[in-house]
Amino acid sequence: MRLGFVLGEMATGLRRNFTMSVAVVLVTMVSLFFFGTGLLVQKQVGILKGEWYDRVQVSVFLCGDTSPTDRCPSGSITDAQRTALREQLQADPRVERVYYESQQQALDNFKEQSTPAVTDNLTADQLPESFRIRLNDPQQYKEVSADYETAVGVEDVPDQRAILQPLFTVLDVATNIALGLAALMLLCSMMLVSTTIRLTAFSRRRETTIMRLVGASRALIQLPFVLEGVVASLIGGVLASGALWAMVNFGVSRLQNRPGFTTRLIDTSDVLTQTGPVIIGVGVVFAIIASLFSLRRWLKV
């Protein structure tokens, strides 16, 4: 009987305040959609960092005729220095594989990646030969670079990760903006839920007063109002999850299926198994908090 009473009171409240309930659903949906988008962007940034950082190789550029240094007084690395450096790299336990790139190979690779206007007047002797190193653990990039940048015959060991860092900085900023907007919208959603529950409690003040006089517990009085906010937020969370699923399925997945696109992107399983349950849970928890806060003062009267 208590369960039937609670559900009946909840249905009555939703029906009496239908317009406000719809507003709660829509505001909750938008706020949770922003929140879910921020979570998905954050996950995608993590995927990109893992994949792209793993693909980055350590490039050890060797001294050439055009670049005399203290480590190469004659300007060009000798055969003995090149052989010793290769053996040192191959013996390094942090190194998985060592590739040698000659000046001609460097020119051919550069031509494949650039336009003829840039490469027409370029010759092989203008580019350095190098060793390309793949590491067992890409996180050891800085340590390996520091060890070999002072080696005999080495001109430079550039930090290729620094090239990717600006991109990830932009993505991190975009994630923070999305999460900031989501936090603002969630605050608006809590305020709207709180206002709706107060209006509902005010419209049923006679019933709640009688219930208090006959000895009804606080939990029994509060539960119908709390469930109203929970149901509205739950519907909003489900709609937000559906919108995120549609965005990923009809937008991101099409990009993934393009020929030649090899980077792994988020998919609908990330929405269904991770982001969706999280945003629905957050919406429900926020609705409970807002409902209890708005009823605390009312039940003291």
Side-chain angles (χ1 to χ4, degrees):
M1 291 181 62
R2 287 187 176 182
L3 178 61
F5 169 77
V6 169
L7 294 179
E9 288 294 301
M10 178 195 71
T12 300
L14 291 173
R15 186 169 56 252
R16 287 181 178 178
N17 300 280
F18 179 76
T19 303
M20 291 292 291
S21 299
V22 171
V24 171
V25 169
L26 294 178
V27 172
T28 303
M29 180 188 73
V30 173
S31 61
L32 293 179
F33 177 81
F34 274 107
F35 181 61
T37 300
L39 294 179
L40 290 176
V41 172
Q42 199 171 41
K43 181 176 180 60
Q44 184 62 62
V45 170
I47 293 174
L48 292 178
K49 283 183 177 180
E51 289 194 359
W52 290 1
Y53 278 171
D54 285 347
R55 295 177 185 177
V56 172
Q57 298 176 342
V58 178
S59 297
V60 180
F61 292 113
L62 309 182
C63 298
D65 293 333
T66 58
S67 56
T69 65
D70 294 338
R71 295 185 296 275
C72 295
S74 62
S76 179
I77 188 173
T78 64
D79 292 339
Q81 290 172 341
R82 185 185 302 105
T83 301
L85 181 60
R86 183 198 294 269
E87 292 176 352
Q88 183 181 357
L89 289 170
Q90 291 175 339
D92 194 323
R94 299 168 297 184
V95 175
E96 177 184 345
R97 185 172 298 180
V98 180
Y99 307 88
Y100 173 72
E101 183 179 78
S102 66
Q103 291 177 303
Q104 184 59 49
Q105 290 172 332
L107 178 62
D108 295 340
N109 292 334
F110 188 71
K111 285 183 176 180
E112 291 180 1
Q113 300 172 7
S114 305
T115 60
V118 177
T119 60
D120 281 345
N121 299 322
L122 191 65
T123 59
D125 59 355
Q126 294 176 308
L127 298 175
E129 55 184 317
S130 64
F131 285 117
R132 307 287 181 172
I133 307 170
R134 181 172 296 279
L135 302 178
N136 292 313
D137 182 6
Q139 299 297 328
Q140 295 181 319
Y141 179 93
K142 290 184 178 181
E143 292 81 357
V144 173
S145 299
D147 289 344
Y148 288 100
E149 65 184 1
T150 57
V152 175
V154 175
E155 177 187 356
D156 188 25
V157 185
D159 187 357
Q160 294 186 357
R161 287 196 172 196
I163 301 174
L164 299 176
Q165 192 57 44
L167 171 62
F168 290 127
T169 300
V170 172
L171 293 177
D172 287 337
V173 170
T175 303
N176 293 333
I177 291 175
L179 293 176
L181 289 174
L184 181 61
M185 294 299 295
L186 284 173
L187 178 61
C188 294
S189 176
M190 286 186 65
M191 294 174 64
L192 189 57
V193 169
S194 179
T195 302
T196 302
I197 297 304
R198 286 183 182 181
L199 290 175
T200 304
F202 180 78
S203 66
R204 303 212 305 262
R205 60 191 182 279
R206 183 176 179 180
E207 293 91 330
T208 55
T209 300
I210 294 173
M211 292 176 65
R212 287 201 302 271
L213 292 175
V214 298
S217 65
R218 288 174 59 91
L220 184 62
I221 298 174
Q222 287 178 327
L223 192 56
F225 300 105
V226 173
L227 288 179
E228 290 177 30
V230 168
V231 169
S233 296
L234 184 62
I235 295 174
V238 171
L239 292 177
S241 299
L244 289 172
W245 180 91
M247 180 184 70
V248 172
N249 185 63
F250 298 109
V252 178
S253 297
R254 290 187 178 183
L255 181 63
Q256 177 75 73
N257 295 330
R258 287 187 176 182
F261 194 91
T262 58
T263 300
R264 188 173 75 86
L265 301 177
I266 54 175
D267 53 31
T268 54
S269 64
D270 294 314
V271 178
L272 296 176
T273 62
Q274 299 179 28
T275 307
V278 169
I279 64 175
I280 291 175
V282 168
V284 170
V285 169
F286 272 55
I288 293 174
I289 294 173
S291 301
L292 293 176
F293 179 79
S294 62
L295 290 171
R296 183 180 61 178
R297 181 180 177 183
W298 173 257
L299 291 178
K300 290 180 179 179
V301 179

